Amino acid sequence: MEFIDSLTIALSKGRIFKQALPLLAHAGIEPYGDPEQSRKLILETNQPRVKLVIIRAGDVPTYVQYGAADLGVAGKDVLMEHGGAGLYEPLDLRIARCRLMVAGVPDADPGSDRLRIATKYVASTERHFAAKGQQVEIIKLYGSMELAPLVGLSDLIVDLVESGSTLKANGLVPLEHIANISARLVVNKAAWKMKHASVMALLAILCAAVEQNPTVRG
Ligand code: ATP
Ligand code: MG
């Protein structure tokens, strides 16, 4: 297909880019260049009006909110922290799947009061413990959360868990499930109106691609 509007799509490197690529290919979008190999932040594609911008996973909702990108692919974890202002979230792409979980040492009690929780996911953590009526102290980290309980920085962590092997390698176990996570298509609210035909066309093809995607069944 050919797009009648210019479209800028925001993506992060790594698993989101790798797993979104076959879905974009369904829509006839093939980037020139590989973000893992190059330092280019803007990738042209075989579609003259479509370009990709390669940014940090946590920045995708912000670029789309302000219309610097018309569309983006962002993890639900990132969207729950961002809050979703200025964007629509019309499609679960069912890629980059994992779970947001409370974890700690095997004998930790996630139900006790006054726990210290280390996490990158402050908003989701606050919401989770508030819903249980528990007072906790949240310590914001930017990575390697598994270290925090091992060195006495926190009692527990809240982090993404896929297989659990990173937790296990550090003597931690998952204790409570907070949310199932997958990557979502997000669309800037103004672009949704102003570039309606192109956005709808892309959305329809991506919907079909998700249904056919062998890696996301089940
Ligand atoms: P940055 O490296 O820029 O700080 P990040 O570590 O969150 O960001 P990635 O590791 O590429 O970036 O993760 C991007 C998205 O992929 C996350 O927001 C989440 O939705 C999903 N994700 C992260 N870790 C996993 C995992 N272990 N299994 C499956 N999906 C994951
Ligand atoms: Mg990472």
Side-chain angles (χ1 to χ4, degrees), residues 55-71:
I55 57 183
R56 291 285 295 262
D59 290 337
V60 168
T62 305
Y63 274 71
V64 176
Q65 170 183 8
Y66 288 98
D70 301 300
L71 304 113

Side-chain angles (χ1 to χ4, degrees), residues 12-16 19 55-58 74-78 95-98 120-121 142 160-163 181-183:
S12 53
K13 289 199 227 198
R15 50 167 64 80
I16 297 243
Q19 296 180 32
I55 57 183
R56 291 285 295 262
K76 186 67 185 174
D77 51 322
V78 161
I95 57 173
R97 289 161 86 175
C98 53
K120 184 170 154 184
Y121 302 101
Y142 294 87
L160 299 177
V161 180
E162 189 176 20
S163 66
I181 302 295
S182 56

Side-chain angles (χ1 to χ4, degrees), residues 117-122 125 138-141 145 157-159:
I117 322 271
T119 189
K120 184 170 154 184
Y121 302 101
V122 172
T125 300
I138 298 172
I139 301 172
K140 166 84 182 181
L141 292 179
M145 270 78 83
I157 63 172
V158 167
D159 198 5

